[in-house]
Amino acid sequence: MEVNEAIKRAKENDQKAFNFLLDTFWDDVYGFQLKRIQNENDAEDITIQTFSRAFDRIETFDSNYKFKTWLITISKNIHIDLLRKEKNSISQIISNDDKSVYQILDESPSPEDELITEQHLAKLLRDIKKLKPHYQEIINLRYFQELSYKEISIQLKEPINNVKVKLLRAKKLLAEIIQEK
């Protein structure tokens, strides 16, 4: 399958096309972020978010541009957004005594985390059942059976990167279902 064909099929919601695009461009996006932030975990998280956002908005891709450039731009914007959030979540307190600056990290849960934890387990399970079966399965494996990404990857016989992207999508969809109420 070639890239343009994969993009066309991805716009029609073809899962194999998404997997092809993920496998084809993962190293490019991850390598770009790794050079930029020099932290493997953060680079991986941003790369996962990049593919999730790109796949959610694949219909907006303009074929006059290169797909790789589009992904790198999304990746760059996600990193900038994360830097802004980080800057806003750190309160600076200036002491009048010695003019020292202390940084206090705001570790409060994200709105998605709060929404999910506020739900009763029975209601949460009903909401999970509204997801497509493959999303139900990945949430079950990660949060109820508490398997690692690697263990889920082995069990589902899928690359670990696909597992991470599916889990991210499943969490977003679940948060939307919970917010609808």
Side-chain angles (χ1 to χ4, degrees):
M1 183 180 332
E2 73 164 51
V3 173
N4 290 335
E5 175 67 18
I7 293 167
K8 183 178 170 221
R9 287 173 51 187
K11 287 183 178 183
E12 296 166 0
N13 217 12
D14 181 336
Q15 192 61 46
K16 286 182 182 174
F18 285 125
N19 290 342
F20 174 80
L21 292 170
L22 180 75
D23 292 340
T24 303
F25 293 103
W26 175 270
D27 290 340
D28 294 320
V29 177
Y30 176 74
F32 170 78
Q33 280 300 333
L34 191 57
K35 283 180 189 170
R36 191 176 168 120
I37 57 180
Q38 299 177 349
N39 178 313
E40 289 179 10
N41 291 332
D42 291 345
E44 191 171 285
D45 287 345
I46 291 171
T47 304
I48 291 168
Q49 289 178 41
T50 299
F51 280 97
S52 178
R53 189 173 295 173
F55 291 163
D56 285 346
R57 299 181 182 139
I58 189 104
E59 69 283 345
T60 66
F61 173 70
D62 183 349
S63 58
N64 292 326
Y65 302 98
K66 289 186 181 249
F67 192 71
K68 177 180 167 183
T69 305
W70 187 63
L71 287 172
I72 296 293
T73 303
I74 291 171
S75 176
K76 202 182 299 181
N77 290 338
I78 288 172
H79 182 231
I80 290 167
D81 289 347
L82 288 172
L83 290 175
R84 281 189 196 128
K85 279 183 188 172
E86 192 176 289
K87 184 179 174 189
N88 290 338
S89 69
I90 295 176
S91 303
Q92 291 190 344
I93 300 171
I94 300 175
S95 166
N96 290 335
D97 305 342
D98 57 356
K99 300 290 183 209
S100 302
V101 175
Y102 300 95
Q103 292 187 331
I104 301 169
L105 183 61
D106 179 9
E107 293 184 10
S108 58
S110 72
E112 284 177 338
D113 292 337
E114 288 177 7
L115 275 172
I116 291 172
T117 53
E118 286 173 7
Q119 305 300 315
H120 296 292
L121 184 59
K123 185 178 178 318
L124 183 60
L125 291 172
R126 280 195 304 273
D127 289 341
I128 290 171
K129 287 195 185 300
K130 294 177 185 175
L131 294 171
K132 291 182 180 178
H134 61 279
Y135 290 140
Q136 290 178 29
E137 179 182 28
I138 203 152
I139 284 185
N140 178 36
L141 293 172
R142 181 69 175 153
Y143 296 105
F144 293 100
Q145 295 181 27
E146 297 182 349
L147 299 181
S148 68
Y149 290 128
K150 187 174 184 178
E151 292 168 329
I152 295 170
S153 172
I154 293 167
Q155 185 163 336
L156 296 179
K157 297 180 178 82
E158 288 191 28
I160 198 164
N161 298 333
N162 288 14
V163 167
K164 290 177 179 179
V165 170
K166 274 187 182 176
L167 188 60
L168 187 66
R169 277 194 198 157
K171 289 189 325 187
K172 280 186 175 180
L173 291 170
L174 183 58
E176 287 172 12
I177 289 169
I178 291 169
Q179 279 182 321
E180 286 174 4
K181 306 208 164 158

